[in-house]
Amino acid sequence: MNPKTGKRVLAAGYAPATIGRNLSAVHGFYAFHPHFGRGPVLNPVPKNRARLAMLAHRSPLEAPGRHRRGRLRPKVSVRQPRAIPDAQWEELFTRMRCARDRAPLACYVSSGARATELLGVGLADVDWRKGRLWVVREVPPQLGSG
């Protein structure tokens, strides 16, 4: 682990998440072209039929069911979110030169919003009188093929 950033040292080869993302891209490429009558007929990345059946008519309120990984798909571990240690937070906050710079930083960190959500914040999203900030939630990613 890098003591400053908290990131793990990269291992040799490709990470399982990278392999899975690339398999989804290749599957999508080969699934796209037959609609237009071109490209190979056979997709080299097989679909996971158990996963497709499980997700077919599921209510979003229900917990997702369990299914086996598809062929070629590596096991991807669930990553825990990293946090900035208190000492680094203090260092970052004290490097801000004025209250104008500290205020948005404190607001962004205390809101718990993702960086992509905060990039979309505009002046119309701030209620200056009540001290409120509206953040539009990130659109959930589409379920990948496979």
Side-chain angles (χ1 to χ4, degrees), residues 7-143:
K7 289 185 176 182
R8 286 187 274 159
V9 178
L10 294 177
Y14 294 107
T18 302
I19 295 169
R21 196 168 36 252
N22 287 335
L23 284 172
S24 293
V26 169
H27 178 81
F29 175 80
Y30 281 97
F32 173 79
H33 285 287
H35 293 295
F36 299 100
R38 58 181 186 236
V41 178
L42 183 64
N43 194 328
V45 182
K47 289 184 180 181
N48 184 351
R49 304 229 183 260
R51 179 178 180 274
L52 291 175
M54 184 208 51
L55 296 173
H57 297 287
R58 183 181 68 84
S59 167
L61 301 176
E62 296 174 8
R66 295 183 55 90
H67 61 280
R68 298 182 83 176
R69 282 192 321 271
R71 288 187 309 144
L72 305 177
R73 300 288 176 164
K75 185 174 185 177
V76 179
S77 60
V78 178
R79 295 186 322 176
Q80 295 298 318
R82 292 191 328 251
I84 297 176
D86 290 339
Q88 283 184 340
W89 169 251
E90 292 297 328
E91 179 186 348
L92 175 64
F93 204 71
T94 54
R95 285 193 181 194
M96 298 289 166
R97 297 176 185 235
C98 62
R100 182 195 70 203
D101 295 336
R102 287 186 195 113
L105 178 64
C107 180
Y108 295 160
V109 170
S110 65
S111 72
R114 295 180 177 105
T116 55
E117 296 167 348
L118 293 172
L119 288 173
V121 172
L123 290 176
D125 300 323
V126 179
D127 185 351
W128 298 103
R129 291 185 184 153
K130 295 182 181 177
R132 293 182 183 169
L133 173 70
W134 280 269
V135 177
V136 178
R137 271 191 60 203
E138 180 182 34
V139 177
Q142 297 295 323
L143 297 173

